[in-house]
């Protein structure tokens, strides 16, 4: 019995920042977490993947405060595991590369808590790669050394520069920014050539990564001039010169752009995928969430009498999911739907319907509620005239759906039943933990915010923590969304057609401008 109550700890490497470099295993483990204990090096993209239900414990340094002492972190992990929880200890890079992962395991081991390690991509190798620097190269070096530049504590040994220079190879210093002059001088004193290429790489793998490439005798001065700050790594070795040839990250069509997306966390985002394929860094801000309407009598009645309807029109994939879930709950399947015709507002909704084994009969060429309403009104009227019946339309959709889709139907005096299937709620509380926001938008350095509906604008406004939104550059899917963003004085960019692809084009246009 005792045993059963014990939880488990997963020590997970979050990678260097770019959310795409988080491992599949790490993501799978995170999805199951009851508690996530994280620190400040974990990238925002990965933080955005933490499930809404998980409890958050921040143990990093907040400005003006000291970091939570290691002892205390160890105790937190133990306490949570003993409470029977699945604990994910999320750390930047790899947990065992200057990550004190070993120390965190000792106490768990003593108490017989089971654990797993999920390695991460370390910044020591990936940050150079994102800056076009291969850490090894057959023509130049035959070894790679990863060294901590953090030698503040008295009991820590000074770096043996003589030994390093004698060995040769590529040297990567982590936590070395404040000690940079000392490190470079140490290498020079030990006999390293003054013109040995050297680089400092700041915020590697993020949209706003910066690098200074110089040589070991000039690097500290050049880095100071550029105002390089932590987190950054120092690379010393001939491979640094290859950056000129191999730089690539900034050169992608959307490289250098950080874009916040306000799509609900529980829906897949093809926009996020497309933008990140083009090189943008995506910050997923799950500002709204959809919740199924409990005990939905109206929907049950409609489904029980589904053959009364001639059309079922969906305005979102969530509506489709809710409708078919209820159908199954009522022990019915598509054979019970008779000759009902299906309409979809756009391609994502169409795909969701087709997944259920039903081909879509109607879809407007423009993705908007109004276009769908108009198309339905026209077709239903024609169809009704042909078969000599007053057509009836079922519209299972969001509780706070706008009037747009209904207006053309009302005007054409077509009968419809508008049924709420899900509710859209703003996600507020989970953004907070004892130390503030999980993702602090104000300090996130976002270039653009993408809005795919008016409700995402409202969700963003109430969760971003800003009082003045006039500095926000808003890329909006359509006019309705833009109208909402305009209310807050945001700078507007509107996609030409109301589709995801058109939004992507809009971003590409911004970059070229
Ligand atoms: N376990 C981590 C390293 C932790 S030590 C890993 O494997 O990457 C913290 C140091 O890592 C920082 O001081 C900095 O030198 C380096 N670092 C981590 N992420 C970085 C990034 N995105 N860009 C540059 N340096 C980074």
């Amino acid at each position: 019995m005792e045993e059963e109550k014990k939880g488990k700890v997963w020590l997970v490497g979050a990678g260097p920042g770019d959310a795409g470099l988080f491992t599949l295993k790490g993501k799978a483990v995170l999805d199951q977490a009851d508690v996530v204990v994280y620190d400040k090096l974990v990238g925002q993209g990965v933080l955005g993947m933490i499930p809404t239900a998980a409890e958050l414990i921040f143990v990093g340094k907040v400005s003006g405060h000291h970091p939570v002492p290691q002892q205390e972190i160890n105790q937190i992990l133990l306490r949570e595991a003993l409470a029977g929880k699945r604990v994910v200890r999320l750390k930047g890079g790899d947990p065992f590369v200057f990550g004190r992962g070993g120390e965190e395991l000792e106490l768990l081991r003593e108490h017989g808590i089971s654990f797993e390690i999920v390695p991460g991509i370390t910044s020591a190798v990936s940050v150079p790669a994102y800056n076009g620097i291969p850490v090894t190269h057959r023509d130049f070096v035959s070894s790679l050394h990863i060294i901590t530049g953090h030698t503040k504590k008295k009991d820590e040994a000074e770096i043996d520069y003589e030994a390093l220079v004698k060995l040769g190879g590529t040297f990567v210093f982590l936590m070395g920014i404040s000690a940079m002059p000392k490190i470079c001088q140490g290498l020079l004193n030990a006999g390293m050539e003054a013109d040995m290429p050297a680089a400092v790489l700041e915020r590697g793998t993020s949209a706003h990564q910066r690098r200074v490439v110089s040589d070991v005798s000039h690097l500290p001065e050049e880095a100071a001039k550029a105002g390089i700050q932590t987190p950054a790594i120092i690379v010393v070795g001939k491979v640094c010169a290859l950056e000129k040839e191999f730089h690539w990250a900034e050169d992608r069509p959307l490289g250098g752009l950080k874009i916040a997306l306000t799509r609900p966390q529980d829906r897949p985002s093809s926009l996020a995928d497309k933008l990140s394929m083009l090189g943008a860094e995506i910050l997923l801000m799950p500002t709204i969430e959809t919740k199924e309407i409990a005990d939905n009598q109206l929907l049950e009645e409609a489904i029980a009498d589904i053959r009364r309807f001639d059309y079922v029109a969906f305005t979102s994939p969530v509506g489709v999911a809710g409708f078919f879930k209820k159908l199954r709950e009522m022990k019915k399947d598509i054979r019970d739907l008779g000759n009902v015709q299906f309409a979809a507002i756009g391609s994502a909704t169409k795909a969701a319907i087709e997944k259920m084994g039903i081909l879509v009969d109607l879809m407007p060429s423009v993705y908007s509620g109004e276009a769908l309403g108009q198309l339905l009104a026209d077709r239903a009227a024609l169809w009704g005239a042909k078969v000599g019946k007053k057509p009836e339309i079922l519209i299972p959709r969001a509780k706070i759906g706008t009037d747009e889709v209904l207006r053309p139907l009302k005007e054409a005096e077509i009968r419809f039943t508008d049924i709420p299937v899900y509710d859209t709620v703003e996600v507020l509380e989970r953004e907070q933990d004892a130390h503030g926001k999980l993702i602090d938008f104000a300090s996130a350095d976002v270039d653009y915010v993408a809005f795919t509906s008016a409700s995402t604008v409202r969700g963003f406004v109430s969760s971003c923590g800003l009082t003045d939104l006039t500095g926000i550059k808003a890329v909006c899917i359509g006019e309705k969304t833009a109208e909402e963003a305009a209310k807050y004085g945001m700078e507007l960019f509107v996609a030409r057609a109301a589709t995801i692809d058109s939004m992507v084009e809009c971003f590409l246009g911004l970059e070229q401008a």
Side-chain angles (χ1 to χ4, degrees):
M1 284 303 279
E2 270 297 286
E3 280 303 302
E4 274 171 34
K5 266 179 59 195
K6 270 187 195 164
K8 181 167 172 174
V9 176
W10 283 263
L11 192 54
V12 179
D18 180 342
L21 299 181
F22 187 37
T23 65
L24 292 174
K25 184 159 187 185
K27 172 77 166 64
V29 165
L30 190 61
D31 283 343
Q32 303 284 322
D34 296 316
V35 193
V36 179
V37 182
Y38 66 101
D39 44 44
K40 71 172 187 317
L41 267 183
V42 177
Q44 290 168 329
V46 176
L47 291 179
M49 294 181 203
I50 298 176
T52 322
E55 192 188 322
L56 304 171
I57 301 179
F58 180 62
V59 292
K61 195 167 14 181
V62 202
S63 55
H65 295 82
H66 290 293
V68 176
Q70 190 61 49
Q71 288 280 359
E72 205 173 305
I73 298 175
N74 303 346
Q75 289 295 339
I76 291 171
L77 296 178
L78 178 64
R79 180 191 74 207
E80 298 297 318
L82 284 172
K85 296 183 193 161
R86 284 172 302 216
V87 185
V88 168
R89 170 67 174 119
L90 200 53
K91 296 164 94 68
D94 180 275
F96 282 174
V97 177
F98 300 122
R100 308 184 75 166
E103 291 164 61
E104 298 185 358
L105 295 183
E106 280 160 19
L107 190 67
L108 300 177
R109 184 92 180 84
E110 266 171 45
H111 289 260
I113 303 287
S114 55
F115 59 81
E116 282 189 38
I117 323 284
V118 183
I121 291 188
T122 179
S123 62
V125 174
S126 57
V127 170
Y130 266 56
N131 282 279
I133 300 174
V135 285
T136 72
H137 190 295
R138 250 163 73 105
D139 297 345
F140 305 117
V141 290
S142 57
S143 66
L144 163 67
H145 310 272
I146 301 172
I147 303 147
T148 170
H150 182 88
T151 51
K152 262 193 215 145
K153 282 197 213 113
K154 283 190 212 91
D155 55 357
E156 261 172 294
E158 271 292 315
I159 300 167
D160 186 346
Y161 295 107
E162 305 264 333
L164 285 181
V165 173
K166 202 165 145 221
L167 267 168
T170 303
F171 306 126
V172 176
F173 295 90
L174 302 188
M175 299 178 280
I177 297 312
S178 49
M180 190 176 346
K182 210 169 125 194
I183 291 168
C184 291
Q185 198 53 53
L187 292 168
L188 287 168
N189 292 348
M192 181 175 272
E193 302 91 315
D195 62 354
M196 177 63 84
V200 56
L201 314 172
E202 181 191 77
R203 287 196 276 173
T205 80
S206 75
H208 299 147
Q209 70 173 26
R210 294 200 301 156
R211 66 174 158 272
V212 172
V213 186
S214 176
D215 60 41
V216 70
S217 41
H218 296 95
L219 190 69
E221 185 191 328
E222 299 282 326
K225 245 193 261 165
I228 292 290
Q229 289 181 5
T230 178
I233 67 171
I234 301 165
V235 187
V236 179
K238 288 188 178 142
V239 290
C240 291
L242 293 169
E243 164 270 340
K244 271 202 198 69
E245 254 180 275
F246 293 157
H247 60 83
W248 60 275
E250 307 72 15
D251 314 332
R252 293 170 293 173
L254 297 181
L257 267 200
K258 183 163 178 180
I259 301 168
L261 291 195
T262 53
R263 289 185 71 98
Q265 193 187 36
D266 52 2
R267 284 189 235 170
S269 172
S270 62
L271 181 57
D273 292 345
K274 286 178 180 172
L275 295 175
S276 51
M277 282 301 279
L278 290 164
E281 178 182 352
I282 302 300
L283 176 61
L284 271 184
M285 299 188 65
T287 53
I288 60 169
E289 213 180 10
T290 52
K291 285 217 160 68
E292 183 187 335
I293 288 176
D295 195 20
N296 197 337
Q297 301 270 340
L298 288 175
L299 183 60
E300 277 175 26
E301 281 164 25
I303 289 177
D305 196 16
I306 192 75
R307 285 168 189 254
R308 176 161 69 89
F309 297 98
D310 305 296
Y311 294 87
V312 181
F314 287 106
T315 59
S316 73
V318 187
V320 176
F323 178 85
F324 284 95
K325 184 164 175 254
K326 183 58 84 186
L327 194 71
R328 265 195 304 277
E329 278 170 18
M330 293 171 69
K331 304 243 180 315
K332 289 176 182 285
D333 66 20
I334 58 174
R335 290 168 300 182
D336 296 290
L337 299 175
N339 291 325
V340 179
Q341 299 186 57
F342 280 79
I345 194 166
S347 50
T349 306
K350 179 174 180 236
I353 300 170
E354 295 193 339
K355 245 195 193 154
M356 302 295 168
I358 293 170
L359 292 178
V360 167
D361 304 285
L362 296 179
M363 187 180 89
S365 51
V366 191
Y367 164 87
S368 81
E370 198 173 350
L372 176 67
Q374 196 56 57
L375 180 67
L376 272 169
D378 295 347
R379 293 291 187 88
L382 274 177
W383 178 86
K386 207 170 95 187
V387 301
K389 177 184 184 255
K390 275 198 154 198
E392 274 216 59
I393 301 176
L394 177 66
I395 310 173
R397 58 178 194 141
K399 194 173 170 190
I400 54 149
T402 63
D403 227 23
E404 274 178 85
V405 65
L406 309 181
R407 212 176 301 125
L409 297 172
K410 284 181 189 158
E411 277 166 17
E413 294 181 3
I414 305 256
R415 285 186 299 175
F416 62 83
T417 307
D418 177 20
I419 288 185
V421 176
Y422 61 94
D423 206 357
T424 307
V425 293
E426 288 168 6
V427 179
L428 280 180
E429 281 168 23
R430 88 172 285 266
E431 300 287 340
Q432 312 272 354
D433 72 357
H435 298 268
K437 301 236 168 213
L438 171 62
I439 294 166
D440 180 21
F441 184 82
S443 61
D445 224 355
V446 164
D447 300 305
Y448 293 91
V449 186
F451 294 111
T452 50
S453 71
S455 59
T456 61
V457 177
R458 289 188 292 269
F460 172 78
V461 169
S462 49
S463 69
C464 71
L466 303 178
T467 41
D468 178 7
L469 293 134
T470 54
I472 302 285
K473 293 183 180 144
V475 175
C476 303
I477 196 162
E479 290 301 335
K480 282 271 166 235
T481 307
E483 266 169 39
E484 192 68 29
K487 286 186 196 162
Y488 303 95
M490 298 181 197
E491 194 181 330
L492 303 179
F493 304 86
V494 187
R496 208 169 306 174
T499 63
I500 295 299
D501 284 334
S502 183
M503 279 193 90
V504 172
E505 262 164 43
C506 188
F507 276 110
L508 288 167
L510 297 172
E511 260 307 81
Q512 280 144 20

